[in-house]
Amino acid sequence: MLVTLEKAGEILAKGSHAAISTTDGKVALVPKGKEAIKLTSAEAVNMMFYVVRSTDPVETVMAQLEEVVARAQAPDPVEERAKKYREIRGI
């Protein structure tokens, strides 16, 4: 399945998948434990793995994925304020 960079970041942030480079120069998200598999992006799609939709080189996409994952894992400021409010109020 083809996914956007943002959706790939959300999937990686959950921790159930890992990003690998395919033999044809794309980035695929495979379940943990299957990082050693060698396949093309077409084979990854056929095996129901996620393939990141991008025309950039693999190194660039991997760097962008790290940034997106960091943003996805960062706490939401609105939720943090609500949490502090509940702590102060004793709710």
Side-chain angles (χ1 to χ4, degrees):
M1 175 184 320
L2 294 175
V3 294
T4 62
L5 194 61
E6 290 78 23
K7 183 63 178 175
E10 292 174 13
I11 293 168
L12 287 175
K14 292 180 184 176
S16 61
H17 287 74
I20 64 166
S21 172
T22 62
T23 57
D24 57 350
K26 302 288 183 186
V27 176
L29 306 179
V30 297
K32 292 276 183 165
K34 296 189 182 213
E35 293 94 352
I37 192 169
K38 299 290 182 200
L39 63 150
T40 64
S41 59
E43 292 171 337
V45 169
N46 288 339
M47 295 177 73
M48 301 299 288
F49 295 149
Y50 299 103
V51 176
V52 179
R53 181 182 296 193
S54 177
T55 58
D56 295 331
V58 174
E59 296 82 18
T60 306
V61 174
M62 289 290 199
Q64 291 172 342
L65 273 175
E66 289 177 10
E67 293 173 8
V68 172
V69 169
R71 277 187 273 149
Q73 291 177 338
D76 184 22
V78 174
E79 290 179 17
E80 288 295 315
R81 281 194 306 247
K83 181 180 174 185
K84 287 181 182 178
Y85 177 80
R86 286 191 299 271
E87 288 175 357
I88 291 170
R89 295 289 181 181
I91 299 175

